[in-house]
Amino acid sequence: MHEMSLVQYAMDAVEQRAMGMGIRHVRGVYLVIGEMRGALPELMEYGFRVLSRSRPLFFGAVLHMELRSVEAQCADCGRRYGVREFHGVACPDCGSRVYTLVQGNELYIESFEGE
Ligand SMILES: [Zn+2]
């Protein structure tokens, strides 16, 4: 399951930082994840629950997720617009097909709480 490895990645990152800070129990993890990562929130939560059972640092911890939609910025006029389908992406203002993706590929820990 794809989500399982994303969750694993997030937990590893938190664990490393928590240990450096002397935190022994994490209560909540705040994860920012872009739609392009193709992760289902329910499966992320499920994976987090399952994995936290074997990792004492995370006993009873809650995973909070902020989903970021995919957004492009037009290279010609600078307009930012949402992208739902990658086939035939064009700027709604000027019709340009040249763009850069500015949002939607995120995967990082915004913060975490613990003691
Ligand atoms: Zn444009």
Side-chain angles (χ1 to χ4, degrees):
M1 184 167 71
H2 171 63
E3 282 81 0
M4 218 53 152
S5 59
L6 292 178
V7 170
Q8 184 105 46
Y9 162 85
M11 289 174 113
D12 287 346
V14 169
E15 188 168 279
Q16 207 164 36
R17 274 194 250 171
M19 297 213 308
M21 293 162 73
I23 286 173
R24 287 195 310 228
H25 180 229
V26 171
R27 273 184 291 140
V29 175
Y30 294 80
L31 182 70
V32 174
I33 186 158
E35 273 180 2
M36 281 165 70
R37 295 283 175 172
L40 291 174
E42 311 84 67
L43 288 180
M44 293 289 288
E45 276 165 22
Y46 171 76
F48 189 81
R49 275 202 309 277
V50 170
L51 291 175
S52 61
R53 279 183 213 138
S54 57
R55 301 177 76 152
L57 180 70
F58 295 95
F59 279 175
V62 179
L63 177 66
H64 306 271
M65 272 168 294
E66 186 187 323
L67 288 166
R68 295 266 169 91
S69 59
V70 181
E71 275 187 23
Q73 182 161 30
C74 175
D76 290 310
C77 75
R79 158 95 187 252
R80 266 178 85 133
Y81 56 95
V83 176
R84 301 211 164 277
E85 164 70 63
F86 279 98
H87 182 74
V89 175
C91 174
D93 277 1
C94 72
S96 169
R97 293 182 180 277
V98 187
Y99 62 90
T100 41
L101 289 172
V102 289
Q103 185 180 287
N105 197 34
E106 294 83 352
L107 178 62
Y108 62 87
I109 313 295
E110 175 77 33
S111 63
F112 64 92
E113 52 190 11
E115 62 262 318

